[in-house]
Amino acid sequence: MKVSVIIPVFNRAQLIAETLDSVIKQRFVDWECIVVDDGSSDPTVAVVSAYAETDARIKLFVRPDARLKGANACRNIGLEEAVGEYIVFFDSDDLMTVDHLSTKVEAIERCQCDYVITRTDYFNLATDRLNAYYRFDEFPITPYNYVAQHINWLTYDICVKASLATSICFNEQLQSGQEYNYFSKLVHLSCNARFIDKVVTLRRHHEDSIRSKLKTDRALSTSFFRVNWYTYMDLLPVAEPKTLRVFMVRCMRLVYSSRSILIPERLAFVREVFKVYGLKGFYFVLMVFSLKLFNKGYWFLQQLTK
């Protein structure tokens, strides 16, 4: 088996068929498509099961109750079950162009690299906002450039050697930003990658994204904090100090802007603040103290993050 396509799905009975049709229509035929259901309450499982009955390359798995709910666990299950030489992540509501897999496989083998990155564009929204992701002509692929978001890509843009993709996993504690966490770990394992300037994924625009469901500013700030904090901890043994500092600066600014952010592992976080900033870490303590008493603290934030 050459390629394993991994698709997490939840309540997409009206859309998953169109996605699977786009996989079946691929010019490249040596693939398996692993669909992992996240506990759908609509007929999603029945729809995928019908496809699996007619095409053995489509394989349906259901997330066990013992695993945390979410796309992260589903993608991890897909990685555990995959037998392909290469891994392609995809979403249950988007579409592949007919040359999606062939473009990726040909490029990764021609370039002899660990992964390739392609382009995505919307098929139901007129916008060029995704262009800001693909600034590979300005910035090389390095851990720092990805972490700092000088470069970026979407989950389904990438095709990775399975030996590399399965050596890390998606953080199942995160409800959003999980792709950023995963790819931050990926670039620290290898930057032997190539950008292929071609659109091979057609993205569906939705108004009800996870991030839009995080309605309050506090919830949104807490979500961003968790992404940066957990990614910092995941990369602590391998990342350069300037890269780790990117995460800590973001965390500091989120603490300041939200005032009452819910910090997981509070003592561990304070300990890492002092580890990164040394004695300047006292500015963090003073900032939090000033916020609680006077609703001020910007001067201390400037001293800490500059």
Side-chain angles (χ1 to χ4, degrees):
M1 186 67 62
K2 202 72 169 179
V3 180
S4 294
V5 180
I6 298 174
I7 304 178
V9 64
F10 177 70
N11 286 350
R12 293 294 196 196
Q14 302 303 314
L15 298 176
I16 186 63
E18 194 174 359
T19 297
L20 292 178
D21 286 340
S22 76
V23 178
I24 291 170
K25 292 175 183 177
Q26 291 299 295
R27 292 171 184 163
F28 184 89
V29 298
D30 188 14
W31 52 263
E32 65 171 354
C33 183
I34 299 173
V35 182
V36 185
D37 184 73
D38 193 30
S40 296
S41 57
D42 71 355
T44 293
V45 170
V47 172
V48 177
S49 295
Y51 273 85
E53 289 175 4
T54 59
D55 192 327
R57 295 175 297 177
I58 297 175
K59 302 171 183 179
L60 173 64
F61 295 87
V62 176
R63 174 187 54 77
D65 291 338
R67 297 288 288 265
L68 287 173
K69 181 174 176 58
N72 296 344
C74 292
R75 290 193 181 106
N76 286 339
I77 292 168
L79 287 170
E80 293 160 11
E81 299 292 343
V83 298
E85 185 178 347
Y86 304 115
I87 301 293
V88 169
F89 300 109
F90 212 68
D91 279 1
S92 59
D93 54 343
D94 298 317
L95 307 176
M96 292 183 173
T97 63
V98 293
D99 58 350
H100 180 108
L101 294 180
S102 59
T103 296
K104 289 180 172 179
V105 172
E106 289 169 8
I108 199 170
E109 295 188 340
R110 180 179 69 253
C111 299
Q112 291 294 293
C113 55
D114 290 330
Y115 53 98
V116 294
I117 302 159
T118 54
R119 278 184 178 267
T120 291
D121 203 358
Y122 288 100
F123 69 86
N124 62 339
L125 179 69
T127 178
D128 61 354
R129 70 188 189 193
L130 291 183
N131 289 337
Y133 280 61
Y134 310 106
R135 298 192 294 168
F136 299 96
D137 56 335
E138 301 176 56
F139 300 96
I141 300 172
T142 67
Y144 179 80
N145 283 339
Y146 181 79
V147 166
Q149 294 289 268
H150 296 317
I151 54 173
N152 201 358
W153 56 84
L154 299 172
T155 314
Y156 24 74
D157 286 332
I158 200 166
C159 175
V160 196
K161 285 184 177 178
S163 57
L164 181 62
T166 57
S167 68
I168 51 179
C169 62
F170 286 84
N171 190 318
E172 297 182 18
Q173 301 295 322
L174 296 173
Q175 291 183 322
S176 66
Q178 56 265 39
E179 298 91 349
Y180 175 73
N181 174 271
Y182 181 87
F183 293 135
S184 291
K185 291 181 285 193
L186 178 69
V187 294
H188 277 83
L189 290 177
S190 173
C191 286
N192 180 19
R194 299 292 184 276
F195 172 60
I196 310 301
D197 193 5
K198 182 176 182 179
V199 173
V200 296
T201 301
L202 304 177
R203 187 183 194 187
R204 189 185 304 271
H205 174 69
H206 291 283
E207 297 294 339
D208 61 340
S209 67
I210 290 177
R211 202 156 278 176
S212 69
K213 291 177 182 177
L214 296 170
K215 295 181 181 179
T216 68
D217 289 342
R218 185 185 185 190
L220 189 59
S221 294
T222 299
S223 175
F224 285 145
F225 183 94
R226 288 168 60 86
V227 170
N228 283 281
W229 169 241
Y230 283 125
T231 307
Y232 171 90
M233 292 301 293
D234 285 343
L235 294 177
L236 190 56
V238 296
E240 295 181 350
K242 74 169 187 176
T243 302
L244 293 173
R245 190 181 177 92
V246 171
F247 299 116
M248 294 307 295
V249 168
R250 288 178 185 154
C251 288
M252 294 297 103
R253 295 188 180 279
L254 286 165
V255 169
Y256 173 77
S257 63
S258 67
R259 304 297 198 270
S260 58
I261 199 167
L262 297 175
I263 302 176
E265 304 166 356
R266 185 181 296 270
L267 290 179
F269 175 67
V270 173
R271 183 171 60 248
E272 292 304 318
V273 169
F274 279 98
K275 184 184 295 184
V276 172
Y277 294 105
L279 292 178
K280 286 181 68 176
F282 282 108
Y283 284 120
F284 171 71
V285 176
L286 294 172
M287 181 185 75
V288 173
F289 182 75
S290 297
L291 288 174
K292 288 185 178 297
L293 290 185
F294 311 112
N295 202 33
K296 296 180 180 180
Y298 186 67
W299 184 85
F300 296 111
L301 175 67
Q302 287 181 312
Q303 303 309 307
L304 187 62
T305 59
K306 69 180 181 179

